[in-house]
Amino acid sequence: MRRVLLLGGTGDALAIARSLPAAHVYSLAGLGRVPGDLACAVRVGGFGGVDGLVRYLCDEDIALVVDATHPYAAQMSRHAREACTIARVTLWAVRRPAWQPQPGDDWRDTADWRGIVERIAGFHRPLFTLGREPLAHLHEIPALQHWTIRCLDAHPGNERADIIDARGPFDLAGERALFDAARIDVIVSKNSGGRATEAKLAVARERGLPVVMLTRPALPDADRSFDDAVSARDALQHWLTTQ
Ligand code: NAP
């Protein structure tokens, strides 16, 4: 049996996993929700670096790896590329295109946390949609700022920070309400691409608010790349019928 290993942790990956038959494996790092309603096997936790992944690919008789991790999960994508090369396993990847600035957008790119802090220095009410990273800096919030942090973590806030534990998709009406309630004057975002979380960019555009955008990491080439989950799922269904 030529088995598939699907690397996940995104909505795209879950959409593909829903079409995977029982013999195949959906893999999660273990930070988020683990679905309990899939036909395929689900494994949770790291492989132990490139060596561990090479061992896994050989032990589990994997013939195809589909990397559908988040565009900022660069380490897992690099490990997948290296391990597939060593183990001579085919690698496919879902590489969601980055959002592109539209007329009226005021995007300010930065490569790291330090750059973020510098770029939001003149603002009072930033909205962070970067994941958990701001949680490590709650004690560093300048006196004139109040942070709103949206991430997948029910972390306590403090007198200068509200934490919203919420998972997309987010729509325009909901984002407008959040911007109003939290009096947001700047957004800090990853350039995740896709529809699920792009409404915040439209709200920033209509209100003339800047977006501090964390630069995307470089990702390795795959043997075959897809822009979205639907085309990857269709190709995978075809691949499965040819095995
Ligand atoms: P990362 O820095 O690229 O990976 C860190 C380590 O986590 C990897 O070396 C690997 O451990 C393990 N890992 C990551 N994805 C895995 C998977 N699908 N299955 C098994 N092990 C995995 O990743 P990250 O940025 O921490 O993200 C972790 C997970 O959250 C990813 O699955 C990603 O798709 C998802 N996610 C990330 C973001 C983001 O902004 N980074 C956003 C949404 C979802 P070993 O070296 O031990 O194999």
Side-chain angles (χ1 to χ4, degrees):
M1 177 74 199
R2 290 161 59 77
R3 303 177 74 204
V4 175
L5 172 66
L6 171 65
L7 301 172
T10 60
D12 285 343
L14 184 58
I16 299 168
R18 294 205 178 284
S19 69
L20 264 189
H24 308 283
V25 185
Y26 178 43
S27 175
L28 293 164
L31 304 177
R33 236 182 357 210
V34 178
D37 59 347
L38 299 178
C40 65
V42 180
R43 68 165 297 288
V44 179
F47 297 94
V50 174
D51 293 347
L53 183 53
V54 170
R55 262 194 310 277
Y56 183 90
L57 297 177
C58 298
D59 291 351
E60 298 295 326
D61 209 11
I62 303 295
L64 173 65
V65 173
V66 180
D67 173 10
T69 57
H70 191 271
Y72 285 71
Q75 179 167 301
M76 188 67 249
S77 293
R78 282 195 297 269
H79 287 185
R81 177 64 282 173
E82 278 185 56
C84 285
T85 302
I86 294 167
R88 295 171 190 264
V89 168
T90 302
L91 175 67
W92 290 1
V94 182
R95 299 274 191 248
R96 225 190 274 166
W99 292 313
Q100 299 300 325
Q102 309 290 315
D105 280 337
D106 174 7
W107 290 9
R108 305 174 184 191
D109 293 342
T110 186
D112 54 22
W113 180 258
R114 198 171 150 173
I116 290 171
V117 171
E118 286 169 9
R119 282 161 183 73
I120 64 170
F123 297 91
H124 300 286
R125 309 278 307 190
L127 168 63
F128 291 88
T129 60
L130 282 178
R132 294 176 174 86
E133 189 169 7
L135 301 179
H137 302 277
L138 291 179
H139 57 289
E140 299 163 14
I141 302 177
L144 289 174
Q145 288 185 351
H146 185 97
W147 292 5
T148 301
I149 300 164
R150 183 165 66 195
C151 64
L152 298 178
D153 203 326
H155 193 286
N158 63 26
E159 69 285 353
R160 297 235 186 88
D162 294 316
I163 298 169
I164 303 171
D165 173 15
R167 178 185 301 273
F170 302 108
D171 65 16
L172 210 48
E175 295 297 60
R176 285 181 182 134
L178 170 63
F179 278 56
D180 287 340
R183 295 184 284 123
I184 299 305
D185 61 1
V186 62
I187 313 181
V188 185
S189 180
K190 288 180 173 170
N191 192 335
S192 300
R195 305 293 304 277
T197 60
E198 74 175 352
K200 63 190 170 192
L201 301 177
V203 179
R205 189 176 308 127
E206 65 193 20
R207 296 179 182 205
L209 302 180
V211 179
V212 176
M213 198 66 96
L214 191 63
T215 312
R216 269 194 178 204
L219 297 177
D221 287 337
D223 300 311
R224 193 168 169 193
S225 284
F226 302 89
D227 279 357
D228 56 54
V230 173
S231 50
R233 191 192 57 203
D234 290 350
L236 190 53
Q237 288 308 310
H238 179 71
W239 186 90
L240 290 169
T241 60
T242 63
Q243 299 309 302

